[in-house]
Amino acid sequence: MKKVIDLRSDTVTKPSAGMRKAIASAEVGDDVYKEDPTVNRLESYAAELFGKEAALFVPTGLMGNQICLNVLTNPGDEVICERHAHIFQYESGAPAMLSGIQLNLVEGTRGVITPAQIEPLIRPESAYYMPRTRVIEIENTHNVAGGAVFPIENIIEIKNLADKYKLYTHLDGARIWNASVKTGISLSEYAKYCDTLSCCLSKGLGAPIGSIILGTKDFIKEAYRVRKAIGGGMRQVGIIAAAGLYALENNIHRLAEDHHKARILAEHLDTLQNVEINLESVETNMLMFRPISMTVEDALSKLKEEGLILGTGGFGIIRAVTHMDVSFDDIEKVKVIFFKIFA
Ligand code: TLP
């Protein structure tokens, strides 16, 4: 049987042998009593890595983002974010559902928003008839923008703006690892410019489940309460945290290889006639491209017949994401399939 190559997302990876070993030998306890030694180790390791006071292990990136927003806001408040932000596009309306808050959207350039765009949207304190602006949220790397890195200069400017208006900043850092590996900027440097952040162990780092949120000790104390309230209090979850620890210790630096593989595919697609791709937009492990003279659905089903599963990045485009379960050999096979369908 032909091997299927799955590039729908970097979430599709399966735990490696080393990770499974770490899972099997994990020490566990009841984490709702804070007695799981492996979870405790993961949280303190992450807090140190990001230079934040405290961290909390949560099941998913969505829950991580939403707990942060819930703690930072009150019902009726507003969060400013980019128009294609994950919290707006792909979190099932959770800001409204869980926190009673609304989002004020800024049209970014490849996911990047600027203080000049944000400042006019900040509601005056005196305007009691308007929602209260409370948080500025950014995403790094930006998913819909194809894994685009948010430049650190913009992040610093946004943090300064937030400070000027006494707003909080939240970073959706589901793929902050990719940004850090790409730019060489440390995780703790990125973390300096946000009050809260959420990062995913289950994307490029290869863990089966798990995200971590970070902030001050006071913030994490509140977050702990919210996590329980929405059903995220887990018990002997050290078996999963062990995978997360393994991922942090072993799988960050290798992301450069995923970036390289995405680049190889992008350069190949750029030579093919029936595809539109902006090479400059391929910065990390994602590529977004538009099929020419066929619909996205047709292209996806033709690719699938050849043994390659891709997904859509929304907005009429196809998304391919490289990850640790695709080898350089697989990448060569993908090139052949692309040639067959798009040349
Ligand atoms: N993104 C998934 C899909 O939801 C689109 C993917 O395959 O890329 N923030 C960002 C920036 C994300 O890309 C994702 C997942 C999340 C948060 C949510 O993480 P999970 O799936 O763990 O809830």
Side-chain angles (χ1 to χ4, degrees):
M1 211 175 78
K2 195 163 28 171
K3 181 189 167 193
V4 171
I5 301 172
D6 188 349
L7 298 183
R8 277 173 302 174
S9 181
D10 45 11
T11 60
V12 302
T13 56
K14 303 205 173 121
S16 63
M19 187 177 277
R20 284 172 191 267
K21 217 166 141 195
I23 291 171
S25 60
E27 254 189 286
V28 296
D30 190 331
D31 183 49
V32 170
Y33 295 110
K34 275 281 155 219
E35 286 172 5
D36 189 302
T38 311
V39 174
N40 294 343
R41 240 189 21 252
L42 172 66
E43 291 175 348
S44 43
Y45 185 90
E48 200 165 307
L49 194 61
F50 281 95
K52 287 289 196 201
E53 277 179 26
L56 186 68
F57 187 48
V58 296
T60 66
L62 187 155
M63 192 186 283
N65 281 332
Q66 296 304 326
I67 291 174
C68 293
L69 296 182
N70 184 276
V71 174
L72 299 178
T73 61
N74 291 308
D77 285 349
E78 194 166 73
V79 173
I80 297 177
C81 66
E82 204 275 325
R83 200 210 164 312
H84 303 97
H86 198 276
I87 58 163
F88 175 61
Q89 294 290 350
Y90 299 123
E91 302 203 357
S92 312
M97 195 192 282
L98 299 177
S99 302
I101 55 176
Q102 66 185 40
L103 305 179
N104 197 342
L105 306 177
V106 183
E107 187 75 46
T109 306
R110 304 204 34 251
V112 176
I113 55 178
T114 65
Q117 292 175 295
I118 298 167
E119 194 162 13
L121 301 183
I122 299 172
R123 316 284 188 170
E125 255 313 309
S126 58
Y128 63 87
Y129 44 84
M130 284 179 160
R132 186 177 268 149
T133 309
R134 190 71 80 175
V135 181
I136 304 173
E137 190 262 5
I138 66 164
E139 191 174 307
N140 195 11
T141 63
H142 194 289
N143 184 340
V144 172
V149 175
F150 210 107
I152 191 85
E153 306 77 43
N154 292 57
I155 296 175
I156 295 171
E157 282 172 19
I158 289 173
K159 174 66 178 148
N160 291 340
L161 180 75
D163 287 347
K164 180 173 159 194
Y165 288 92
K166 298 192 172 51
L167 306 177
Y168 295 115
T169 50
H170 171 67
L171 167 64
D172 178 351
R175 295 185 178 83
I176 191 64
W177 335 102
N178 297 84
S180 174
V181 165
K182 172 71 188 187
T183 59
I185 296 168
S186 67
L187 296 167
S188 58
E189 179 68 12
Y190 279 121
K192 256 195 220 163
Y193 307 108
C194 56
D195 295 296
T196 62
L197 86 93
S198 170
C199 55
C200 292
L201 304 163
S202 60
K203 309 268 172 324
L205 300 193
I209 309 171
S211 287
I212 298 173
I213 57 176
L214 298 113
T216 62
K217 281 188 181 143
D218 284 348
F219 161 74
I220 290 296
K221 203 167 152 209
E222 279 305 300
Y224 188 54
R225 188 183 171 77
V226 176
R227 183 186 69 174
K228 190 77 178 85
I230 59 175
M234 301 175 285
R235 302 294 178 174
Q236 285 71 21
V237 72
I239 51 168
I240 302 299
L245 257 176
Y246 183 93
L248 289 180
E249 284 169 351
N250 296 284
N251 292 344
I252 297 180
H253 295 296
R254 62 149 308 286
L255 290 172
E257 186 183 310
D258 297 348
H259 300 174
H260 181 45
K261 285 171 179 157
R263 193 76 211 164
I264 293 174
L265 291 181
E267 282 173 7
H268 176 66
L269 279 173
D270 192 43
T271 65
L272 306 180
Q273 219 169 22
N274 287 318
V275 168
E276 200 180 286
I277 183 165
N278 173 4
L279 268 189
E280 252 178 56
S281 75
V282 183
E283 295 179 59
T284 54
N285 68 329
M286 287 189 196
L287 36 145
M288 302 288 203
F289 57 95
R290 211 175 276 280
I292 297 172
S293 70
M294 69 187 102
T295 64
V296 168
E297 292 69 31
D298 280 350
L300 290 178
S301 80
K302 282 183 187 164
L303 292 164
K304 197 168 175 188
E305 273 167 34
E306 298 298 325
L308 173 62
I309 321 184
L310 300 185
T312 84
F315 315 96
I317 45 182
I318 295 179
R319 182 179 84 155
V321 189
T322 54
H323 53 73
M324 62 197 303
D325 287 0
V326 282
S327 63
F328 279 103
D329 269 0
D330 292 333
I331 294 296
E332 287 309 308
K333 286 180 193 137
V334 173
K335 279 169 67 178
V336 172
I337 296 171
F338 279 161
F339 187 84
K340 191 162 176 191
I341 307 298
F342 297 120

